[in-house]
């Protein structure tokens, strides 16, 4: 077993072993940019006497460099870096396993971790899986006593919760949601590229649905009409939503991996003709109601960030404040609550791909290039950040056109 959770202290002249009741054992699986972010949060959240096992795969070299810095700054936290799950020595009892590997690998990693050590809880990065069937199998794998969660941390932010509370005062009839990213940008001091190995619908539409679900719980999509922008920089999808217990609603999505700038925006129109909007490209964003600007909740400035709070809640550690309790956080992130995001994203993916196939045959220029990229890139990307070159995509497009 790696490490220990106790320390030796003097008590009335006698050397005794003291156990920190907040010490935890956590495993992180993944080695990309976001895994570094998770590792930073974990080193902040975990107390001395805790164990942090990082299985970093291709990111092992960067993970070991990170660990060297932690060892000096946090001698009471035992951080061990491995390249593969098979290298973990002794398999301790895990309080939490975080799976942040490539999306297609999530199911394999969850199954392996549960088989090897049956952790108390598993947190999977978003998107949860490559398709709804894989997501359903992961839920089946994580039967009691293992609990499965999905890291849609935006659901737990104070500003989204504030906006959801405002929307809940009336029936929302129309919503517009934008989730757009430049092809490359700097986030948190590191370069961020598009996740080319994951279909744009699974990557971005599932994010949007995880938030929209807070305002329109229980709705389902009945139709979706995608439109590829002429400038080749994104798509708009008009969706019709319905539910048994509330009025039907319309949702317009705008998604992009090649936008001029980062966009995160929600707009809602209610039955009583109230117009609410939040622009959160820069957190905590700005909320308006009928064009009147509201202050976002002040706790954002001083409170622990949503990712750290979510991890604390999953580790049963005390939260620094009570803005959103641990039980409520766990409910928001539970896989059973988040699985609908996969169903929605898969529906949108099928509609997008049908339109993309038609555009490959009829369109030209930037619009056709976007259709080609959306449809074919996930099949050729060798890693999340490896965008296939235009020649590779065009050869694949020609094979598709020929029916090969």
């Amino acid at each position: 077993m790696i490490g220990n959770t106790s320390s030796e202290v003097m008590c009335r002249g006698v050397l005794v072993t003291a156990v920190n009741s907040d010490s935890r054992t956590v495993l992180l699986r993944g080695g990309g940019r976001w895994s570094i972010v998770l590792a930073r949060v974990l080193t902040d959240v975990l107390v001395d006497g805790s164990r942090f096992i990082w299985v970093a795969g291709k990111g092992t070299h960067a993970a070991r460099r990170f660990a060297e810095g932690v060892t000096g700054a946090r001698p009471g936290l035992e951080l061990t870096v491995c390249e593969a799950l098979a290298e973990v020595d002794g398999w301790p009892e895990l309080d939490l396993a975080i799976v942040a590997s490539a999306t297609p690998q999530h199911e394999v990693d969850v199954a392996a971790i549960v088989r090897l050590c049956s952790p108390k809880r598993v947190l999977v990065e978003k998107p949860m899986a490559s398709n709804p069937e894989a997501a359903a199998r992961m839920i089946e794998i994580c039967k009691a006593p293992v609990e499965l969660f999905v890291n849609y941390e935006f659901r737990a932010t104070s500003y989204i919760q504030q906006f959801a509370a405002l929307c809940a005062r009336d029936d929302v009839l129309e919503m517009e949601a934008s989730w757009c990213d430049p092809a490359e940008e700097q986030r948190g001091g590191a370069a961020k590229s598009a996740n080319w190995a994951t279909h744009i619908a699974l990557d971005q539409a599932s994010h949007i649905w995880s938030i929209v679900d807070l305002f329109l719980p229980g709705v389902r999509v009945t139709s979706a009409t995608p439109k590829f922008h002429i400038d080749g920089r994104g798509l708009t999808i008009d969706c019709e939503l319905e539910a048994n217990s509330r009025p039907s609603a319309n949702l317009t999505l705008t998604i992009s991996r090649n936008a001029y700038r980062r966009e995160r925006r929600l707009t809602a129109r209610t039955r009583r003709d109230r117009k609410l909007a939040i622009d959160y490209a820069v957190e905590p964003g700005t909320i308006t109601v009928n064009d009147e600007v509201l202050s976002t909740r002040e706790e954002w400035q001083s409170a622990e960030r949503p990712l750290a709070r979510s991890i604390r809640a999953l580790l049963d550690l005390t939260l620094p404040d009570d803005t959103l309790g641990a039980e409520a956080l766990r409910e928001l992130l539970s896989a059973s609550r988040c699985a609908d995001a996969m169903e929605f994203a898969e529906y949108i993916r099928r509609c997008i791909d049908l339109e993309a196939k038609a555009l490959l045959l009829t369109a030209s220029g930037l619009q056709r290039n976007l259709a080609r990229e959306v449809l074919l890139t996930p099949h050729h990307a060798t890693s999340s950040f490896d965008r296939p070159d235009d020649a590779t995509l065009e050869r694949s497009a020609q094979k598709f056109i020929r029916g090969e």
Side-chain angles (χ1 to χ4, degrees):
M1 187 176 291
I2 301 173
N4 60 69
T5 59
S6 62
S7 59
E8 292 184 328
V9 299
M10 293 298 295
C11 181
R12 295 182 179 180
V14 178
L15 191 64
V16 298
T17 299
V19 178
N20 189 331
S21 62
D22 284 340
S23 62
R24 300 289 187 268
T25 302
V26 177
L27 179 137
L28 171 61
R29 173 71 176 100
R33 182 193 70 87
W34 189 245
S35 293
I36 297 287
V37 174
L38 288 163
R40 290 190 185 123
V41 173
L42 285 168
T43 55
D44 287 340
V45 166
L46 293 171
V47 303
D48 285 352
S50 295
R51 312 171 207 165
F52 175 9
I53 305 164
W54 189 353
V55 182
K58 293 180 179 179
T60 299
H61 182 67
R64 285 181 173 145
R65 285 204 313 270
F66 177 91
E68 288 172 2
V70 171
T71 301
R74 291 286 312 279
L77 172 64
E78 184 156 354
L79 171 51
T80 303
V81 176
C82 307
E83 184 172 354
L85 290 171
E87 296 176 18
V88 176
D89 183 21
W91 277 105
E93 294 183 4
L94 293 178
D95 296 291
L96 177 65
I98 302 176
V99 176
S101 50
T103 302
Q105 185 70 19
H106 285 178
E107 182 186 355
V108 173
D109 285 339
V110 168
I113 293 168
V114 170
R115 183 181 70 253
L116 289 166
C117 70
S118 189
K120 181 177 180 180
R121 291 177 176 138
V122 177
L123 176 65
V124 178
E125 266 306 322
K126 67 281 184 190
M128 182 179 178
S130 297
N131 53 65
E133 293 76 21
R137 288 193 297 268
M138 289 164 64
I139 292 173
E140 180 66 19
I141 289 167
C142 294
K143 294 179 179 178
V146 180
E147 298 177 87
L148 180 63
F149 301 86
V150 186
N151 195 21
Y152 285 115
E153 74 273 7
F154 273 106
R155 291 165 64 85
T157 58
S158 59
Y159 54 87
I160 291 295
Q161 287 289 317
Q162 181 181 358
F163 188 70
L166 291 168
C167 290
R169 298 175 184 176
D170 196 2
D171 289 326
V172 174
L173 302 181
E174 295 179 1
M175 287 200 74
E176 296 180 5
S178 297
W179 189 290
C180 301
D181 293 309
E184 293 192 9
E185 60 177 328
Q186 289 289 318
R187 298 290 297 170
K192 177 189 176 186
S193 301
N195 184 359
W196 299 111
T198 302
H199 195 284
I200 191 170
L202 298 177
D203 187 19
Q204 297 187 333
S206 66
H207 276 85
I208 292 173
W209 187 254
S210 73
I211 298 172
V212 170
D213 171 68
L214 299 174
F215 320 135
L216 299 171
V219 299
R220 57 188 177 277
V221 59
T222 57
S223 70
T225 305
K227 298 176 182 177
F228 284 69
H229 298 174
I230 296 296
D231 64 3
R233 289 193 174 270
L235 304 89
T236 299
I237 306 105
D238 293 323
C239 306
E240 294 183 3
L241 311 173
E242 67 176 27
N244 296 329
S245 58
R246 52 155 290 117
S248 60
N250 296 321
L251 170 63
T252 301
L253 311 177
T254 301
I255 54 179
S256 174
R257 288 172 166 170
N258 192 30
Y260 291 110
R261 61 186 179 277
R262 176 182 172 89
E263 291 183 20
R264 301 288 188 272
R265 183 174 175 82
L266 294 166
T267 304
R269 185 181 67 81
T270 71
R271 181 172 49 83
R272 290 184 290 185
D273 208 28
R274 295 167 69 232
K275 182 180 179 182
L276 305 96
I278 180 170
D279 186 330
Y280 57 106
V282 178
E283 297 174 287
T286 302
I287 294 176
T288 58
V289 178
N290 293 335
D291 298 324
E292 178 185 352
V293 178
L294 303 183
S295 297
T296 47
R297 289 174 174 168
E298 293 182 359
E299 62 259 26
W300 175 263
Q301 304 302 329
S302 57
E304 195 171 48
R305 291 296 181 257
L307 180 57
R309 289 178 56 82
S310 299
I311 289 175
R312 281 189 186 276
L314 295 177
L315 289 172
D316 293 318
L317 294 173
T318 302
L319 299 179
D321 55 70
D322 59 359
T323 53
L324 192 62
E327 187 174 348
L329 274 168
R330 289 193 291 269
E331 170 62 19
L332 282 172
L333 301 179
S334 67
S336 58
R337 278 288 303 271
C338 297
D340 285 349
M342 291 301 308
E343 295 285 351
F344 174 76
E346 178 64 13
Y347 188 100
I348 298 300
R349 183 196 67 77
R350 291 197 300 267
C351 294
I352 287 175
D353 284 358
L354 283 173
E355 180 66 10
K357 290 174 182 177
L359 289 174
L360 280 181
L361 298 172
T362 61
S364 60
L366 296 174
Q367 191 181 41
R368 182 183 182 276
N369 288 350
L370 176 61
R372 183 186 65 184
E373 179 181 285
V374 167
L375 181 65
L376 301 173
T377 292
H379 301 292
H380 293 281
T382 56
S383 70
S384 296
F385 310 111
D386 176 27
R387 182 189 182 278
D389 58 60
D390 287 342
T392 299
L393 291 177
E394 185 56 32
R395 286 194 298 270
S396 183
Q398 291 302 322
K399 287 182 179 180
F400 168 79
I401 290 169
R402 294 193 299 269
E404 297 178 7

